[in-house]
């Protein structure tokens, strides 16, 4: 039996994944990718590349390392790598004169980390199952080891990044999440200079908690305020207080730390993922948009309390009921207040027209749809963003009260 048949025989997959787990625990971060390339070679794979998304979500950039093929960054296009990344699925491309190029999504849970590519002479069903599992394990290893190194950050950074942006990116949760009942995605612009915009979320039991904020000002002052606001929000969320009380925690933290002349606008949300019942508190932020059947049907207006930091009264909480498939888009004022040709503001009506126009195309999933919307809006604004511009979208899918009931 030749080497390829030995390495791809029954039981090899379990041995490969087990070997990777055993070896990776105390391995330096820079050796993770070479280890993966080595083990892929044992199963007959070759030309291994690991591609990570850059911070602006415009290219997939190769991770350097011994044994890896390091080519040019892949720009956003209808390429096999981008299809695999955005859709979270394995893509196979036959090679001439022989072999199959495999594009494997690197999924940490449901958050897309990047894509791993490799070539096999032949691909069997057992290989496909093994490679899907390998992709998940590689994603987990990259995310875990990322905390110990700057290597992955440096690969993803395509231009100089401001100190305020460094702070904001370190503050963010994963940019996407997908569960049977709920999916969400967020994006920050300008990726390398963002300062005061941020968002945070947590799914605790049946309640999705969301905060989208915009701290006044620019640069480090805004980033510092955003850090305090998100820290106060997380503290309040973790001691199980109401939506209105979360506002109070954040308001007190900002006013005590920065005084009466500083503020943060915010949208705070609770969504019951089993019923679709949503609660909103609007602290001086643009009203979110309800998207139903791929079109904007309503601005979710609510009584607006004072921005965080101004000592406003306890906010009024508005309630809305979502239908399965509904999406809610949160955005900061940098989206609509950007000046375009002629000096006019971009405006909410133009934002809504862009959403409705893109809604004519089939959905590729919430993250791909939001990325396309963000890039479309940037082009409509003339290719630049002078203020922070945040998009954050949730999709309520409905479903059983017990999510375990849908796992096969």
């Amino acid at each position: 039996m030749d080497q390829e048949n030995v390495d791809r025989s029954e039981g090899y997959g379990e041995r490969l994944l087990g070997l990777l787990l055993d070896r990776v625990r105390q391995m330096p971060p820079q050796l993770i990718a070479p280890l993966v390339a080595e083990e892929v070679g044992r199963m007959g794979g070759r030309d291994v590349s690991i591609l990570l998304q850059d911070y602006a979500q415009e290219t997939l950039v190769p991770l350097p390392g011994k044994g890896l093929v390091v080519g040019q960054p892949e720009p956003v296009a209808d390429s096999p790598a981008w299809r695999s990344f955005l859709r979270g699925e394995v893509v196979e491309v036959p090679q001439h004169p022989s072999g199959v190029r495999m594009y494997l999504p690197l999924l940490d849970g449901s958050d897309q980390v990047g894509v791993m590519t490799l070539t096999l002479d032949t691909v069997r069903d057992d290989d496909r199952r093994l490679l899907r599992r390998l992709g998940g394990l590689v994603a987990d290893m990259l995310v875990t080891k990322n905390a110990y190194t700057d290597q992955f950050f440096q690969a993803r950074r395509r231009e100089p990044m401001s100190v305020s942006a460094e702070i904001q990116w370190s503050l963010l949760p994963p940019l996407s999440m997908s569960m049977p009942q709920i999916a969400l995605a967020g994006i920050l612009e300008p990726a390398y200079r963002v300062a005061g915009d941020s968002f945070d979320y947590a799914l605790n039991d049946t309640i999705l908690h969301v905060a989208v904020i915009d701290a006044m000002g620019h640069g480090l002052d805004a980033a510092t305020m955003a850090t305090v606001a998100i820290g106060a929000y997380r503290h309040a969320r973790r001691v199980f207080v109401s939506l209105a009380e979360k506002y109070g925690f954040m308001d007190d933290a900002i006013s005590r730390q920065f005084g009466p002349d500083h503020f943060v606008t915010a949208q705070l949300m609770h969504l019951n993922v089993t019923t679709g019942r949503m609660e909103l508190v609007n602290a001086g932020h643009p009203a979110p948009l309800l998207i139903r059947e791929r079109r904007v049907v309503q601005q979710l207006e609510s009584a607006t309390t004072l921005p965080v930091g101004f000592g406003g009264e306890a906010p009024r909480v508005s309630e809305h009921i979502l239908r399965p498939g509904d999406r809610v888009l949160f955005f900061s004022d940098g989206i609509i207040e950007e000046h375009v040709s002629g000096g006019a503001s971009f405006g909410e009506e133009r934002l809504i027209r862009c959403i409705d126009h893109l809604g004519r195309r089939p959905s590729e999933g919430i993250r791909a749809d939001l990325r396309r919307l963000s890039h479309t809006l940037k082009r409509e604004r003339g290719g630049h963003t002078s203020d922070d511009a945040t998009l954050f979208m949730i999709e309520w899918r409905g479903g059983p009260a017990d999510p375990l009931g849908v796992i096969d």
Side-chain angles (χ1 to χ4, degrees), residues 252-306:
D252 183 65
I254 295 297
S255 62
R256 285 177 179 271
Q257 183 66 32
F258 300 99
D261 298 327
H262 293 72
F263 65 88
V264 176
T265 67
Q267 282 279 359
L268 307 179
M269 186 200 76
H270 286 172
L271 174 63
N272 188 313
V273 299
T274 64
T275 66
R277 178 175 175 267
M278 182 174 64
E279 297 179 323
L280 282 175
V281 162
N282 185 347
H285 210 73
L289 301 175
L290 175 61
I291 302 170
R292 180 170 290 159
E293 296 179 354
R294 310 280 288 155
R295 293 183 59 83
V296 176
V297 297
Q298 184 183 353
Q299 288 181 302
L300 298 178
E301 299 286 359
S302 59
T304 302
T305 190
L306 290 175

Side-chain angles (χ1 to χ4, degrees), residues 56 66 83 85 114 132 154 189 212 226 286 310 320 381 392:
K66 182 181 178 181
R83 289 200 300 275
F85 177 78
R132 281 196 296 269
Q154 290 165 336
E189 286 285 353
V212 180
F310 278 171
H320 306 272
R381 298 193 303 266
F392 186 86

Side-chain angles (χ1 to χ4, degrees), residues 215-216 220-230 254 258 262-264:
M216 67 168 284
L220 278 176
D221 286 345
T224 303
M225 256 195 298
T227 301
V228 173
I230 291 295
I254 295 297
F258 300 99
H262 293 72
F263 65 88
V264 176

Side-chain angles (χ1 to χ4, degrees), residues 376-390:
T376 298
L377 294 175
K378 187 174 181 179
R379 288 195 301 270
E380 290 282 319
R381 298 193 303 266
H384 61 88
T385 301
S386 60
D387 192 12
D388 294 350
T390 295

